[in-house]
Amino acid sequence: MSRRLVSALIAMVGALLLVSLFLHLVPGDPVDVMLGEQATQVDRAALRQAVGLDLPWYAQLWTFARDLATGELRTSLPPFQRKVLPALGAALPYTLLLTVAAMAVSLVLALPLGVMAAARRGTPVDAAAMGVSVAGVALPRFWLGPVLIILFALKLDWLPVSGAESWKHLVLPAFTLGTALAAFLARMTRATMLEALREDYVTVARAKGLSPRVVLWKHAFRNALLPLVTVLGLEFGALLGGAIVTEKVFAWPGMGTLLLTAIEKRDYNTVRATVLLFTFSYVLVNTLTDVAYAWVDPRVRRRS
């Protein structure tokens, strides 16, 4: 457990250092965002000093860490320097909701597709299932999202275009985000199922006269789920970051939208805090995945 805590701390500190470095390398001056390029040097210097941009990068980073720890972290630029933590607290549930919905969509699509492909290996069903999965991986989210909007929102008028007022607003972004993961999980499910179907216990189950459905789902599928647990944990963390583009396309008020807005405004404090929260979420999900894997597989518990 102590090793995991140290690894998590190193990951978060590393992410904070990297994003701070990248922010200082990105072209553009936050002062220009506030005052415009026609402002005088005196006004520029006064604003830079007022918001702490005249300090070295490590001093700015220390100020950020101190304000974050005390809960007094505010947006970088005046005149309305709002607190950052309430904005993160308001955006986080939306991102988590979208991520969970996208994961549910991917599982509903991927598991039957992968099992069906493995059960009918080498048949047209297998080829069609894997063809669909390849297409799902190849379709970029920034393209799929607008296509779904045009089809289901504008042409058919079944679903709303953007926002988060009701469950209907969740359908299109969840499907957009979950499609690529579903394609990957389908191929992973097929591979683990094929490996499980070659095991001796499956041969014994068939020799006992059990029906193909029972052999497939009760014996092979349950054991094929073990490798998928780790993959699901990793991909759940990746979905948190991958939601950035999807949230922007559908104007979903989550952390991705908050991050992109902060980058456009050169709001360094909000950018740092959001990236730090993304990193913490990813580390937490991976830790919970390790615990879940040990709970599912008793052999892991005995080794640990």
Side-chain angles (χ1 to χ4, degrees):
M1 182 60 69
S2 60
R3 185 182 303 174
R4 290 175 179 170
L5 292 176
V6 171
S7 300
L9 182 61
I10 292 174
M12 297 182 66
V13 171
L16 184 58
L17 291 175
L18 284 176
V19 72
S20 299
L21 175 62
F22 291 152
L23 286 174
H24 284 80
L25 294 177
V26 170
D29 191 342
V31 175
D32 291 337
V33 176
M34 288 300 303
L35 300 181
E37 297 181 357
Q38 304 302 322
T40 64
Q41 292 297 329
V42 175
D43 292 336
R44 289 172 179 269
L47 179 59
R48 193 177 299 277
Q49 183 177 9
V51 298
L53 292 175
D54 60 326
L55 300 174
W57 69 270
Y58 52 84
Q60 295 182 37
L61 195 58
W62 168 253
T63 302
F64 166 82
R66 182 198 63 198
D67 292 344
L68 180 63
T70 58
E72 294 298 322
L73 184 67
R74 295 179 180 271
T75 53
S76 298
L77 303 178
F80 306 108
Q81 289 183 286
R82 296 180 295 272
K83 287 188 176 182
V84 174
L85 293 184
L88 287 176
L92 179 60
Y94 286 101
T95 296
L96 290 177
L97 176 61
L98 176 58
T99 303
V100 171
M103 179 66 74
V105 168
S106 65
L107 290 175
V108 169
L109 295 176
L111 294 183
L113 198 64
V115 172
M116 182 175 60
R120 293 168 174 80
R121 180 184 180 185
T123 66
V125 174
D126 183 18
M130 291 302 97
V132 170
S133 69
V134 170
V137 173
L139 294 177
R141 296 188 183 105
F142 64 83
W143 177 87
L144 180 60
V147 169
L148 294 179
I149 289 175
I150 293 173
L151 179 60
F152 292 100
L154 301 181
K155 296 292 185 181
L156 300 176
D157 196 24
W158 289 354
L159 297 168
V161 175
S162 60
E165 286 75 25
S166 68
W167 66 267
K168 292 183 178 180
H169 292 80
L170 181 62
V171 176
L172 291 182
F175 189 83
T176 301
L177 188 60
T179 300
L181 178 58
F184 171 74
L185 287 179
R187 299 182 69 86
M188 184 70 183
T189 303
R190 178 183 181 273
T192 56
M193 281 294 296
L194 288 176
E195 184 177 351
L197 289 172
R198 290 192 291 263
E199 295 292 336
D200 293 338
Y201 60 83
V202 173
T203 304
V204 172
R206 288 170 175 166
K208 290 180 178 180
L210 298 179
S211 66
R213 182 185 297 272
V214 173
V215 172
L216 185 66
W217 290 101
K218 185 176 181 180
H219 294 274
F221 179 69
R222 290 179 60 181
N223 288 278
L225 281 178
L226 293 177
L228 290 176
V229 171
T230 301
V231 175
L232 287 175
L234 294 173
E235 292 301 322
F236 187 86
L239 281 178
L240 289 171
I244 295 175
V245 175
T246 304
E247 288 183 3
K248 186 65 174 179
V249 170
F250 292 95
W252 186 261
M255 292 197 301
T257 301
L258 181 66
L259 176 61
L260 292 177
T261 302
I263 292 174
E264 293 173 358
K265 295 181 178 179
R266 299 296 191 273
D267 183 3
Y268 292 168
N269 283 345
T270 302
V271 173
R272 292 191 188 103
T274 306
V275 172
L276 203 60
L277 184 56
F278 272 126
T279 305
F280 174 76
S281 301
Y282 191 88
V283 171
L284 178 62
V285 168
N286 281 293
T287 302
L288 294 177
T289 301
D290 292 339
V291 175
Y293 194 89
W295 178 75
V296 172
D297 192 348
R299 295 170 298 179
V300 177
R301 292 200 300 269
R302 286 195 292 266
R303 288 197 297 268
S304 59

